[in-house]
Amino acid sequence: MTPTREMLRRDAAYDRWGEVGHRSAIGAAAEAMLRAELGESESPGSVPLAAVRIATPEPLPEAVLAAAGGEDAVSTAAEDRVRHAFGKGYPDLIRMRRGVVEEAPDAIVAPADRDRVAAVLEACATAGVAVVPFGGGTSVVGGVAPVRGRFDRLIALDLTALRGAAVDPISMTARLGPGLRGPEAEAALSSEGFTLGHFPQSYRYATIGGYAATRSAGQASSGYGRFDALATALELTSPAGSLRTLETPHSAAGPSLRELVLGSEGVLGVITDVTVRIRPAPERRRYEGWFAPGFADGIEIVRGLAQGGALPDVVRLSDREETRVSLAMSGLSGAKRHGLDAYLRARGRRDGCMLIVGWEGGREDVERRRQLSRRLLRAGRAVPLGASPGRSWAHGRYEGPHLRDVLIDRGILVETLETSHVYGRLDDLHAAVAAALRRTMDAAGRPGIVMCHVSHVYRDGASLYFTFLTPARRGAEIEQWGELKRAACEAIVAEGGTITHHHAVGRDHLPYMRSEVGELGIEAIRAVKERLDPAGIMNPGKLVEA
């Protein structure tokens, strides 16, 4: 088998998000706001792919080549190695723009099926070759970084040939290959009248295996559930053998091995098969905008919806700063903007917070749940803005990473991070992280914008998703990013929040795992890894120290 152009991601831009040629733009009002608040910045520029410097690869052992299916199943081309050297975090994009690849896989191996995956892992374990499973390459926390640990050679195991899909309409489940991208999986399901309902911001490029390996959460998770709630059975192919869970709705047979594999980030083995719960494709989708009096009031509204049995499928509550910036970035101007401002002033909500809510399903069910939600929204003193803000959100729901590229091109450091807590601690966590970021920016003598929204809601708490912008220090962008990232993470740990709600641990959050699970927890994960991956070849330096 020869790795195809599609499998080796040559449709993707190497130094930015998404496919080659995709460009986003921001309007004049947004440009003016950014200049006024952040000043003028110098672009980091970008080195053409052909000029990117990469080290000469180490040759693979013959046994690994044979296990993969021969040299036709392996690529050592510089372009392919560059494309598999990074994820899509801010440091990744800056390094790619600089054109210097300090760490890269020696080869890309693209197994044709699960048996080839097993053979490659066995050969790599025997020969001492590190393996980084690679799906969509969308990790923003260093999850696919080619960290060698103690090994001299490393391969990226490209899984996009594993793309099977089989629907069981009676049980409303589907077996999906780990290499299916989000749109490919949805296309396979929709042809049978179903949906997975999992739409993270990385939906266009992330894969089913990546969803499972990182405990992904989609933008409609309040209704459909996180991916770990959707996954009902898994197969893990590890260097020590295959581990497969039964396709049953529930089992009391000891600790859940399915839960062990979910979120394992490639350190235990390769997820080679996933069975998921599916739903009938919705007849109707309805999204609306509302304005809450403030962020704390909005959180109370969200809590009321979650605990009152009226939670919409999509819930997104912006704090005041994100509301302000989002309205500036929306392009709304002239009579429409004046009309909105007048409407909000008349209702005492001029300094309020934007709330996007949405319902999906059968027409009657959507209307019933919508009316119940609207009663609680009004009881919380939120005022309606109609369907237009909801449609705008739905239209641009996947554009955030593309806009990040626009901002990076303008010399602005832009990063996101997420956490979660129970409702009683959520406001304190929000204040602590925002204050830590602002203090760090102030100490560096740099202006900045720090904004946040609630995007995943539960009965007992919710997530917080922060975005921050500040002028980048040309030539020291990654060091500057590290200072801000550490400040935010330390604030999260101090407040008892999780270090990651859905971006996973990867390399970036590894220093905080002990705060998350404790020393004994680290030892337990390491013990499982030593049993399933005795040689330690699987994704070194992620989740637990190499």
Side-chain angles (χ1 to χ4, degrees):
M1 177 204 68
T2 300
T4 66
R5 292 177 63 86
E6 183 178 14
M7 285 172 54
L8 293 180
R9 296 292 190 265
R10 293 185 181 175
D11 59 341
Y14 76 99
D15 62 347
R16 58 190 60 240
W17 183 266
E19 67 276 12
V20 173
H22 185 103
R23 288 292 183 270
S24 293
I26 56 178
E31 289 271 15
M33 179 202 71
L34 292 172
R35 281 196 302 271
E37 298 188 23
L38 301 182
E40 297 288 348
S41 301
E42 185 180 0
S43 172
S46 185
V47 172
L49 179 57
V52 173
R53 299 196 301 273
I54 188 169
T56 302
E58 294 291 331
L60 293 186
E62 289 297 326
V64 174
L65 291 173
E71 292 185 358
D72 285 346
V74 177
S75 173
T76 57
E79 177 179 343
D80 295 330
R81 294 175 60 225
V82 167
R83 291 185 179 280
H84 289 74
F86 296 100
K88 296 296 184 182
Y90 178 80
D92 298 324
L93 299 177
I94 292 299
R95 290 186 178 104
M96 293 304 291
R97 281 165 163 79
R98 290 176 181 173
V100 179
V101 180
E102 296 173 351
E103 301 172 319
D106 294 303
I108 316 305
V109 176
D113 52 38
R114 180 259 171 211
D115 290 340
R116 285 292 183 191
V117 171
V120 168
L121 296 188
E122 182 179 358
C124 286
T126 301
V129 177
V131 178
V132 177
F134 199 99
T138 60
S139 172
V140 294
V141 293
V144 294
V147 178
R148 294 171 184 264
R150 59 187 174 84
F151 301 100
D152 295 329
R153 290 161 294 189
L154 179 144
I155 65 167
L157 194 70
D158 193 298
L159 297 168
T160 47
L162 280 66
R163 305 161 80 140
V167 176
D168 177 354
I170 297 175
S171 306
M172 287 210 298
T173 62
R175 287 184 63 180
L176 302 176
L180 282 169
R181 295 190 195 183
E184 294 172 330
E186 278 298 316
L189 296 176
S190 66
S191 67
E192 303 279 346
F194 294 98
T195 182
L196 180 59
H198 191 72
F199 302 104
Q201 201 168 58
S202 59
Y203 163 73
R204 291 170 176 165
Y205 310 108
T207 60
I208 294 295
Y211 293 162
T214 59
R215 289 183 176 268
S216 173
Q219 295 179 74
S221 70
S222 297
Y224 290 94
R226 296 164 51 97
F227 194 80
D228 46 351
L230 299 175
T232 183
L234 297 164
E235 179 185 61
L236 179 79
T237 300
S238 79
S242 178
L243 184 157
R244 185 173 188 93
T245 66
L246 296 177
E247 292 185 21
T248 65
H250 182 71
S251 170
S256 171
L257 295 181
R258 178 183 65 198
E259 291 297 310
L260 179 69
V261 174
L262 289 164
S264 57
E265 299 191 34
V267 306
L268 304 180
V270 178
I271 295 171
T272 45
D273 194 32
V274 183
T275 302
V276 293
R277 299 179 174 94
I278 55 178
R279 297 190 189 187
E283 295 177 334
R284 189 183 185 200
R285 291 183 170 96
R286 168 80 182 195
Y287 307 114
E288 296 178 355
W290 290 69
F291 237 69
F295 195 57
D297 301 290
I299 289 174
E300 279 301 296
I301 292 170
V302 167
R303 183 175 71 85
L305 291 168
Q307 297 176 351
L311 188 64
D313 299 305
V314 172
V315 181
R316 181 186 178 110
L317 169 69
S318 297
D319 67 6
R320 283 194 170 99
E321 189 70 346
E322 183 171 281
T323 298
R324 180 184 70 84
V325 173
S326 296
L327 288 174
M329 299 283 283
S330 70
L332 197 65
S333 61
K336 289 184 178 180
R337 181 59 192 268
H338 290 311
L340 175 62
D341 290 344
Y343 173 81
L344 294 174
R345 276 197 304 272
R347 285 154 182 77
R349 298 293 179 269
R350 183 64 186 86
D351 294 321
C353 294
M354 179 72 78
L355 177 60
I356 300 294
V357 290
W359 305 265
E360 302 184 4
R363 293 184 181 278
E364 292 183 3
D365 179 61
V366 164
E367 191 56 30
R368 177 187 61 81
R369 293 191 297 123
R370 175 173 169 257
Q371 292 304 326
L372 181 57
S373 299
R374 286 170 65 92
R375 284 200 293 272
L376 292 179
L377 285 159
R378 291 184 185 278
R381 298 182 299 124
V383 298
L385 300 180
S388 180
R391 286 194 298 266
S392 295
W393 171 82
H395 178 73
R397 67 194 299 183
Y398 305 120
E399 283 299 300
H402 295 293
L403 291 174
R404 177 183 59 167
D405 287 325
V406 174
L407 296 172
I408 292 174
D409 289 341
R410 284 160 172 72
I412 295 173
L413 188 161
V414 54
E415 177 63 301
T416 63
L417 56 90
E418 28 69 74
T419 180
S420 69
H421 219 323
V422 295
Y423 287 117
R425 300 285 301 278
L426 207 57
D427 205 33
D428 290 341
L429 178 61
H430 171 255
V433 176
L437 288 167
R438 291 191 181 100
R439 277 196 307 271
T440 306
M441 293 174 185
D442 290 343
R446 302 227 157 206
I449 297 172
V450 179
M451 45 192 174
C452 179
H453 64 258
V454 169
S455 55
H456 305 277
V457 177
Y458 310 91
R459 287 182 61 85
D460 53 343
S463 70
L464 293 176
Y465 191 99
F466 289 86
T467 303
F468 56 91
L469 295 77
T470 189
R473 296 201 305 256
R474 181 66 187 277
E477 295 96 338
I478 296 175
E479 293 78 5
Q480 180 187 11
W481 167 86
E483 294 166 4
L484 290 160
K485 180 77 172 179
R486 282 190 297 274
C489 289
E490 288 169 5
I492 288 170
V493 168
E495 290 293 327
T498 177
I499 199 60
T500 176
H501 174 265
H502 57 268
H503 283 173
V505 176
R507 182 164 61 174
D508 296 350
H509 294 143
L510 182 59
Y512 308 97
M513 272 297 284
R514 280 179 173 77
S515 299
E516 185 86 14
V517 302
E519 187 63 40
L520 187 58
I522 293 289
E523 292 176 10
I525 295 172
R526 193 185 302 281
V528 174
K529 178 174 175 62
E530 288 175 355
R531 176 62 186 89
L532 296 176
D533 177 26
I537 62 168
M538 297 305 305
N539 212 8
K542 323 294 165 41
L543 202 59
V544 291
E545 292 90 344

